Amino acid sequence: MKGLQKSLAMGYILAVCGGIFWAVGGACGQYLFQHNQMTSNWLVPIRLTVAGCILLAFSLLRRQNIWAVWHTKQTVIDILIFGLLGSALCQYAYYTSIQYSNVALATVLAYTSPAMILLYTLAKEKRLPRLYEALCVLLVIAGSFTCATHLNPQSLSVTPQALIWGLISAAAFVVYTIQPHRLMQQFDLIVVIGWGMLIGGGALTGLFRPWNITILVDPILFLNMGIVIFIGTVCAFCFYQAGVGIVGSIIGSILSSVEPVASMVLSVLFLHVPLTAMDFLGFLLILITIPIIALGNSKQHKLQKPNTQ
């Protein structure tokens, strides 16, 4: 039992770190948008393509067979779906939602994904939600909404484009979380994520041709892109998927929702965005899900233990 608790604790840490690393990458991405005249049509293809190449190169150094995913029709279909819908569409839809609205609205829409994952899981497992699962999903949505609107819905200007792209982002995140499960049972985690990023980045590169987009090139560009690619993409996606592999898709998606909290903190420290009491209330609603999940999961495993003996 102690070994199980340690394993679950590691899963919690990995999923939370994934969310924090995404926030670091997001803060650097916002800086690039503001100071280097960059758009998502340039940033997303480059970050995914380079990150995918790094992961696959690392896999080769570890003597992994990176070509095995292409040996059967089913795995080819799975990796293409993961790359195009899970990696490329999720990232591009999120940044496009920001372009049509603002970061606050895009975050609110993106973090409807835990609710989508819960509904999918309940339908697949043909069961009702456990109390702590439903409570945590509601707390995440409430916390994100509070941070984004300060409990004043009229402060958000919802355009049809922002709404559509934001919900597409959330749905694509569901695909990213759930769809590669079969692949990761057969192949190395880093190989799967690497191919997903390279496929997604390659498709977006061919579509948007970032070499034709003019941006401001300076030393800060290379520093921020390094952080976006290595911490905000490679580490974030790998840590998150490793965490999901331990604690499950519902809990992993909820734990990763520390991202808006971390984003707000980084915005205050480095982008000089002021915090209000409503922001702290939103933080509390999101962060309180972590001990609720830990306690609920621990209790659930204790209840199931006699059935496994």
Side-chain angles (χ1 to χ4, degrees), residues 175-293:
V175 176
Y176 181 83
T177 300
I178 296 174
Q179 192 272 339
H181 178 69
R182 181 166 52 194
L183 284 170
M184 292 180 182
Q185 288 181 324
Q186 302 177 60
F187 308 108
D188 182 71
L189 169 77
I190 295 177
V191 171
V192 173
I193 296 176
W195 275 119
M197 289 182 178
L198 185 58
I199 292 167
L204 292 177
T205 298
L207 182 63
F208 297 119
R209 301 178 182 179
W211 55 85
N212 291 330
I213 300 173
T214 301
I215 62 172
L216 175 63
V217 178
D218 59 17
I220 299 299
L221 168 70
F222 295 100
L223 174 63
N224 279 284
M225 281 301 297
I227 295 174
V228 167
I229 291 170
F230 185 71
I231 296 179
T233 307
V234 172
C235 293
F237 282 84
C238 289
F239 275 55
Y240 173 71
Q241 282 291 1
V244 167
I246 297 173
V247 302
S249 55
I250 297 175
I251 295 172
S253 66
I254 293 172
L255 290 171
S256 72
S257 63
V258 299
E259 180 186 355
V261 178
S263 294
M264 194 67 72
V265 172
L266 291 169
S267 296
V268 172
L269 295 176
F270 299 106
L271 301 174
H272 309 296
V273 176
L275 281 180
T276 68
M278 287 292 99
D279 294 318
F280 284 107
L281 175 60
F283 295 171
L284 180 63
L285 290 171
I286 293 173
L287 291 175
I288 201 172
T289 61
I290 296 176
I292 291 175
I293 287 172

Side-chain angles (χ1 to χ4, degrees), residues 18-64:
I20 293 173
F21 291 156
W22 271 322
V24 172
C28 291
Q30 182 177 337
Y31 183 90
L32 291 169
F33 288 151
Q34 293 175 347
H35 297 277
N36 293 88
Q37 292 82 56
M38 192 176 289
T39 67
S40 60
N41 287 6
W42 193 96
L43 177 61
V44 179
I46 296 299
R47 72 180 288 206
L48 287 178
T49 301
V50 175
C53 289
I54 290 173
L55 288 175
L56 291 177
F58 180 68
S59 296
L60 286 173
L61 290 175
R62 294 170 56 232
R63 300 184 183 279
Q64 294 288 330

Side-chain angles (χ1 to χ4, degrees), residues 84-205:
L84 297 175
L85 300 183
S87 293
L89 185 59
C90 178
Q91 290 293 299
Y92 184 75
Y94 175 68
Y95 282 104
T96 304
S97 180
I98 293 174
Q99 290 179 357
Y100 280 116
S101 56
N102 53 64
V103 174
L105 175 58
T107 301
V108 170
L109 295 173
Y111 277 94
T112 60
S113 57
M116 295 181 185
I117 291 172
L118 177 60
L119 291 174
Y120 171 85
T121 303
L122 296 179
K124 182 179 179 181
E125 298 180 358
K126 298 179 181 180
R127 66 175 176 86
L128 294 174
R130 301 181 182 104
L131 179 61
Y132 74 93
E133 291 174 339
L135 177 60
C136 287
V137 167
L138 292 175
L139 286 171
V140 166
I141 295 174
S144 298
F145 181 81
T146 301
C147 287
T149 68
H150 292 179
L151 300 182
N152 179 17
Q154 295 180 350
S155 66
L156 289 177
S157 177
V158 182
T159 65
Q161 297 96 326
L163 178 62
I164 291 170
W165 281 110
L167 292 177
I168 289 174
S169 171
F173 186 73
V174 175
V175 176
Y176 181 83
T177 300
I178 296 174
Q179 192 272 339
H181 178 69
R182 181 166 52 194
L183 284 170
M184 292 180 182
Q185 288 181 324
Q186 302 177 60
F187 308 108
D188 182 71
L189 169 77
I190 295 177
V191 171
V192 173
I193 296 176
W195 275 119
M197 289 182 178
L198 185 58
I199 292 167
L204 292 177
T205 298

